[in-house]
Amino acid sequence: MDEIIGDPGLTDFDARAGFEAVRAAADGDLRAFVEYDGESYNPVFIAERVVEKHGDPEEVGEFADRLHFNYKLDFAEREMYEDLYEPLGSITAFAVYLTDQTIVRYVDEREGIYVSVDGETHADEVIEALADALGDRR
């Protein structure tokens, strides 16, 4: 099976620059890079090993549909956390550490970038790469 490669363009983020920056930072650990908003998502890259794990691109799509249903809540959660932590600054990203991978969701008020990497690459490396490539849109 092959990796999934898509054309960026769903969001106002420069997703191509973000993808290249994360791919360089992750050095082979990159599993997925997806741009999304509250209504839809666009897979820019899904690694071959992820497609193989799910069986085929259609199964990857079904899994992504389930993820996006919940990740569209990032925008409401970002607003809630910013209200809660207002004196500390704005929310840039959410990170989830799993047994063998890390997931980063880099967000602004209405759009986001979802990145999944294997265990050797840490969230701060991904967030730094995205911030350098995409700039601060807040």
Side-chain angles (χ1 to χ4, degrees):
M1 280 185 207
D2 293 326
E3 62 193 16
I4 296 171
I5 300 287
D7 291 324
L10 173 69
T11 66
D12 289 334
F13 286 117
D14 184 350
R16 184 171 311 283
F19 168 65
E20 294 299 335
V22 169
R23 184 165 63 174
D27 193 33
D29 285 346
L30 184 59
R31 298 170 55 85
F33 186 100
V34 179
E35 56 181 340
Y36 66 101
D37 61 21
E39 301 301 319
S40 60
Y41 64 93
N42 178 38
V44 175
F45 172 82
I46 308 294
E48 180 177 10
R49 66 188 177 281
V50 174
V51 178
E52 288 176 358
K53 178 181 178 183
H54 288 278
D56 61 42
E58 186 175 308
E59 292 292 323
V60 171
E62 290 174 13
F63 179 69
D65 287 345
R66 289 193 307 271
L67 285 179
H68 183 264
F69 181 78
N70 291 307
Y71 287 160
K72 65 186 177 183
L73 299 174
D74 283 352
F75 312 111
E77 288 181 6
R78 179 181 179 271
E79 185 176 319
M80 178 194 70
Y81 283 118
E82 283 191 343
D83 287 345
L84 181 63
Y85 297 115
E86 180 181 3
L88 303 176
S90 63
I91 303 296
T92 302
F94 298 96
V96 176
Y97 290 90
L98 302 169
T99 303
D100 63 347
Q101 64 184 285
T102 301
I103 296 169
V104 171
R105 294 171 344 260
Y106 187 86
V107 297
D108 71 3
E109 292 178 5
R110 57 183 173 72
E111 299 176 322
I113 301 289
Y114 168 98
V115 176
S116 174
V117 292
D118 286 326
E120 295 301 313
T121 300
H122 299 281
D124 58 340
E125 296 171 90
V126 172
I127 293 166
E128 185 176 309
L130 288 169
D132 288 347
L134 305 177
D136 186 4
R137 294 179 23 172
R138 282 160 255 315

